């Protein structure tokens, strides 16, 4: 089912953040939301996640969908290991061997699987947060600058892997980088 956003409005006091926003995202499509800072991209994602309410307009097609998200912040449980952070969101079991394959695919060393999140570097934390979102059960994935803080080589590998795992699924990604959108295979770029 397509996600349709019609005449969406959101203000904080007298500051209008979203004004008459509309878009149509087909089932199984990757759409990237782009625009300069302060245009309401994160606010739009938060509304789609159900974390904020719009002041007006409607969103169709999100009813009953399982959502997974990558936030701008990593939002990891600091005292849990990288592997435990990922297992928290999984409904079934995942073998250590399978989890290791995912870690290796995004350039994470085996040793970090047991490390508490608070001991990981920023780039490692980002990849754990991304894997957690990708490996959770979901119908729609919402990502807010998911590749920030990664060096170019790592970013390239992580984007390719993300695209592979998201093939045929609905993804909405906020990014400032047109190259990221292209590599993700975005069917459309929406400019706010």
């Amino acid at each position: 089912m397509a996600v349709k956003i019609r005449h969406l409005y959101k203000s904080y006091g007298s500051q209008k953040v979203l004004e008459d926003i509309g878009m149509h995202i087909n089932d199984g499509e990757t759409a990237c939301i782009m625009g300069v800072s302060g245009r309401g991209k994160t606010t739009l994602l938060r509304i789609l996640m159900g974390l904020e309410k719009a002041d007006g307009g409607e969103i169709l097609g999100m009813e009953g969908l399982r959502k997974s998200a990558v936030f701008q912040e990593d939002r990891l449980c600091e005292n849990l290991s990288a592997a435990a952070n990922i297992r928290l969101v999984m409904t079934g079991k995942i073998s250590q061997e399978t989890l290791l394959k995912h870690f290796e695919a995004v350039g994470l060393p085996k040793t970090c699987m047991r490390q508490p999140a608070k001991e990981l570097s920023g780039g490692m934390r980002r990849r754990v947060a991304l894997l957690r979102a990708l490996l959770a059960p979901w119908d729609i994935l919402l990502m807010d600058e998911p590749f920030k803080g990664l060096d170019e080589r790592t970013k390239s590998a992580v984007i390719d892997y993300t695209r592979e795992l998201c093939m045929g699924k609905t993804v909405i990604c906020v990014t400032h980088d047109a190259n990221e959108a292209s590599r993700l295979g975005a069917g459309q770029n929406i400019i706010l």
Side-chain angles (χ1 to χ4, degrees):
M1 180 180 210
V3 174
K4 299 173 188 172
I5 299 167
R6 297 179 179 157
H7 309 292
L8 206 67
Y9 288 85
K10 178 67 179 175
S11 296
Y12 296 105
S14 62
Q15 181 186 0
K16 291 180 183 175
V17 179
L18 298 172
E19 189 170 1
D20 198 24
I21 300 298
M23 59 187 72
H24 180 107
I25 300 160
N26 293 316
D27 186 36
E29 178 179 31
T30 295
C32 286
I33 300 171
M34 304 174 79
V36 298
S37 296
R39 296 290 295 184
K41 300 178 298 298
T42 296
T43 299
L44 176 58
L45 278 192
R46 290 180 58 79
I47 291 170
L48 291 172
M49 289 177 208
L51 300 174
E52 300 227 14
K53 283 190 156 270
D55 297 332
E58 63 181 347
I59 300 169
L60 304 169
M62 296 284 288
E63 306 83 11
L65 293 183
R66 295 173 302 170
K67 301 170 196 144
S68 188
V70 179
F71 296 89
Q72 280 189 12
E73 316 81 27
D74 299 321
R75 298 191 181 195
L76 299 175
C77 296
E78 296 295 323
N79 292 320
L80 292 182
S81 70
N85 266 281
I86 292 169
R87 285 193 168 102
L88 269 177
V89 300
M90 303 194 69
T91 54
K93 292 188 178 188
I94 185 170
S95 72
Q96 194 76 359
E97 181 181 322
T98 300
L99 194 53
L100 179 57
K101 287 180 183 176
H102 289 291
F103 272 63
E104 288 173 345
V106 296
L108 287 169
K110 180 181 182 178
T111 55
C112 87
M113 289 179 71
R114 289 196 169 100
Q115 278 183 273
K118 64 185 175 187
E119 294 178 7
L120 300 176
S121 71
M124 294 168 103
R125 292 170 59 86
R126 196 68 188 149
R127 286 173 280 169
V128 170
L130 180 61
L131 280 179
R132 182 181 57 190
L134 289 168
L135 298 177
W138 55 275
D139 301 308
I140 185 167
L141 178 63
L142 305 154
M143 301 190 294
D144 197 351
E145 299 183 44
F147 312 112
K148 73 176 185 174
L150 301 179
D151 63 80
E152 287 306 313
R153 186 170 154 233
T154 302
K155 182 190 295 187
S156 178
V158 171
I159 291 172
D160 290 346
Y161 194 64
T162 300
R163 181 178 179 170
E164 179 184 326
L165 292 183
C166 294
M167 196 68 66
K169 293 184 154 188
T170 306
V171 177
I172 302 173
C173 178
V174 166
T175 180
H176 292 283
D177 189 333
N179 290 328
E180 286 182 12
S182 176
R183 285 198 76 128
L184 267 178
Q188 62 175 310
N189 292 335
I190 300 158
I191 310 298
L192 289 188

